[in-house]
Amino acid sequence: MLEFLKPSNWSTSFQLVLSFILFAFAGSFILALPMMQHEGVDASYFDHLLTAVSLVCVSGMAALPIGETYNIWGQIVALFMIQIGGLGVITIINTGLYYLHRKIPLKDQYILQAALNRDTNANFLSFLFSIYRFTLYFELAAAAVIMIDFWPRYGFFKGAFNAFFLSVAAFTNSGLDNVGVNDMEAFARNPLILITLAALIIAGGLGFSVWFELRERMNRYLAQRPRNFKLAFRKLSTHTHLVLQATAFLLVAGTVLIWLAERSNPATIGNERFGVQVLASFFKSASTRTAGYATFHYQDTQPFTKFVYMILTIIGGAPGGTAGGIKVTTVAILYFLLRSELKSYSEVVYNRRVFPSSLVRQAVMIALFFVVIASIGYGSLLLTHPHLDSLDLLFETMSALGTLGVSLNVTENLNLFGRIVIMILTIAGRVGPITLLLAVLQRKSPTIHYASAEVLIG
């Protein structure tokens, strides 16, 4: 028992989970201080804790509205927690250790390598700092665009801060804002804000390795004489090609399905003109993949639309990015596994490439992990809240596990146990897939061969 208390004996998976939990507790204590809140705020420490977990796990399921609960200092703390949670606690810690001239342990490099979707440790610190520079440049550029609308709306200083807060929150896929409970609905017909936020959400969800490969290809294109776009961008890596293809498919399919289900619903977009309907549907398609911004109430949508939201939420973004969920590559591998079985292929094939069996097993394990955790969480909520709508509880479960952070007015009606379940689901959805993969990669068990077992299925 005493040996386990030594940090040197902790597994890297345990360290990763513990870092998120400790950071959430530290943030909750700071946010609970009266000096961080507006006067007259009446909230329990548990509300601040749930909000802190939401901030660190970049989930919008905050128990308290950021702008109406916390003053400028509290909002700065919240902004810091969102940024740290989006980029990853471990990456920040290790970068700090580097500046203190302490060597980064090789096992921690493998944590970052797995979390950021890299297959090499070469120039790792340079890669990390490239992530931070890219993030800052993207967030500042988007904040400058948002300022076009926010400057006349809120004034220069408040508009600048709100624009940067919203930009960081969207890029990290947190879905949080500090503009007020219902103020996001004011942007429902604002293409400048909606398109900018959607671009931030998509950019954060693509993953940094994808962006860096696209940047390298763009540099190659600009250096060509004469320039040839097809030559510079042909033969993208399998990962980048798959992520871009899957992301485009989900965005288009989500937009079409949401529009078809809601085009006649007067409570959402039924009374809007066609252009506004398409824009709102596209924004929802991008936002529900773990961001969760709401320009109209989620509870007013059709049951089928809520089902589409849950599917998009649980899929999430790409590995190595700021989005949560199972990841688009995992779902794609499962799809190609099914297709290969139906076509009687001996291997799982995509774009004339074969997925290794170990990769396929990892995809299956991640999917099973989400199914098991979702079943336990949903069952717990059903057992302890029989008076609440079962569909709403399912949506709450998927929203927490996918770090979407959207509630159908259910969170406020949950008891203490239910809120604890939501916090556990949120943390599991944020760090679960990474820690699961690390546990598999670190397991070094001897190869044992047993006799074959025959079992009838189907």
Side-chain angles (χ1 to χ4, degrees):
M1 180 64 182
L2 294 178
E3 290 295 320
F4 175 77
L5 296 178
K6 296 180 180 179
S8 58
N9 295 328
W10 294 347
S11 68
T12 50
S13 304
F14 180 76
Q15 292 180 48
L16 180 62
V17 176
L18 186 62
S19 64
F20 272 83
I21 294 175
L22 292 179
F23 193 65
F25 272 106
S28 67
F29 286 122
I30 296 175
L31 292 177
L33 296 175
M35 62 178 295
M36 296 291 170
Q37 306 166 23
H38 292 301
E39 293 184 6
V41 171
D42 183 19
S44 66
Y45 168 73
F46 198 84
D47 289 331
H48 294 293
L49 177 60
L50 181 57
T51 300
V53 170
S54 180
L55 292 168
V56 174
C57 295
V58 288
S59 167
M61 196 170 288
L64 302 169
I66 304 299
E68 297 186 2
T69 303
Y70 304 109
N71 56 27
I72 183 63
W73 302 111
Q75 292 179 35
I76 291 175
V77 171
L79 180 64
F80 180 76
M81 295 176 69
I82 293 172
Q83 190 73 284
I84 296 294
L87 295 179
V89 175
I90 296 295
T91 62
I92 303 296
I93 291 176
N94 280 282
T95 304
L97 292 178
Y98 170 75
Y99 268 121
L100 293 174
H101 305 288
R102 295 177 60 184
K103 184 179 179 181
I104 298 178
L106 183 61
K107 66 178 182 179
D108 287 344
Q109 292 186 32
Y110 285 128
I111 290 182
L112 301 176
Q113 181 179 319
L116 298 173
N117 191 45
R118 295 195 83 214
D119 56 4
T120 177
N121 285 334
N123 301 318
F124 196 80
L125 288 172
S126 175
F127 181 78
L128 283 179
F129 288 119
S130 296
I131 288 176
Y132 305 143
R133 286 194 299 269
F134 174 84
T135 299
L136 184 60
Y137 294 158
F138 209 103
E139 290 171 348
L140 287 175
V145 175
I146 297 174
M147 266 291 289
I148 298 174
D149 181 274
F150 277 23
W151 189 346
R153 187 186 296 267
Y154 300 108
F156 180 77
F157 292 105
K158 185 177 180 180
F161 179 75
N162 287 357
F164 185 66
F165 189 103
L166 195 58
S167 177
V168 172
F171 184 79
T172 57
N173 277 236
S174 72
L176 294 163
D177 66 82
N178 64 335
V179 298
V181 176
N182 297 315
D183 283 2
M184 283 301 296
E185 297 179 20
F187 306 123
R189 302 173 186 85
N190 191 324
L192 176 69
I193 300 298
L194 295 189
I195 293 175
T196 303
L197 291 181
L200 285 164
I201 295 167
I202 296 169
L206 284 178
F208 295 105
S209 60
V210 172
W211 278 111
F212 292 157
E213 181 175 350
L214 294 177
R215 181 185 64 181
E216 186 272 331
R217 296 304 179 97
M218 180 58 69
N219 291 336
R220 181 187 303 179
Y221 168 74
L222 295 176
Q224 286 179 345
R225 293 293 185 275
R227 294 175 180 173
N228 188 315
F229 187 84
K230 290 185 177 180
L231 183 63
F233 283 86
R234 73 178 182 179
K235 294 185 179 180
L236 290 170
S237 68
T238 302
H239 172 79
T240 297
H241 190 275
L242 181 59
V243 167
L244 293 177
Q245 190 178 52
T247 299
F249 172 79
L250 290 173
L251 285 172
V252 173
T255 300
V256 172
L257 291 175
I258 293 171
W259 177 78
L260 288 174
E262 296 297 320
R263 71 188 189 280
S264 300
N265 185 0
T268 55
I269 61 175
N271 295 327
E272 304 291 348
R273 61 181 186 275
F274 177 74
V276 175
Q277 289 183 347
V278 173
L279 177 61
S281 300
F282 168 74
F283 181 71
K284 281 293 185 182
S285 179
S287 181
T288 48
R289 291 177 53 224
T290 81
Y293 285 111
T295 53
F296 53 82
H297 296 298
Y298 279 83
Q299 60 267 28
D300 293 335
T301 58
Q302 303 289 353
F304 175 78
T305 310
K306 295 173 184 175
F307 173 73
V308 173
Y309 290 160
M310 285 188 280
I311 295 297
L312 293 175
T313 296
I314 211 65
I315 293 176
T322 59
I326 294 178
K327 308 301 184 187
V328 293
T329 48
T330 301
V331 175
I333 290 174
L334 295 177
Y335 164 75
F336 289 115
L337 172 61
L338 176 62
R339 190 185 69 169
S340 297
E341 291 296 326
L342 293 177
K343 293 188 175 183
S344 300
Y345 293 164
S346 59
E347 296 174 305
V348 182
V349 180
Y350 166 73
N351 198 26
R352 298 182 180 179
R353 295 290 187 273
V354 175
F355 291 124
S357 59
S358 59
L359 188 64
V360 176
R361 287 198 302 269
Q362 290 172 12
V364 173
M365 286 185 61
I366 291 175
L368 287 176
F369 168 82
F370 269 80
V371 170
V372 171
I373 296 298
S375 299
I376 295 174
Y378 181 49
S380 300
L381 293 178
L382 285 175
L383 184 63
T384 55
H385 301 81
H387 59 287
L388 297 180
D389 184 78
S390 57
L391 178 60
D392 292 349
L393 288 176
L394 178 61
F395 189 95
E396 192 89 357
T397 301
M398 296 302 181
S399 178
L401 190 57
T403 68
L404 175 67
V406 171
S407 175
L408 303 180
N409 291 335
V410 170
T411 305
E412 59 190 24
N413 296 317
L414 296 177
N415 56 29
L416 178 61
F417 176 80
R419 295 193 174 199
I420 292 176
V421 169
I422 292 300
M423 286 196 296
I424 293 175
L425 288 172
T426 303
I427 296 174
R430 180 60 180 160
V431 301
I434 297 175
T435 55
L436 180 65
L437 284 179
L438 289 173
V440 173
L441 294 174
Q442 291 172 345
R443 188 186 302 125
K444 297 181 180 180
S445 58
T447 302
I448 302 175
H449 296 282
Y450 295 103
S452 300
E454 297 295 334
V455 178
L456 298 178
I457 59 176

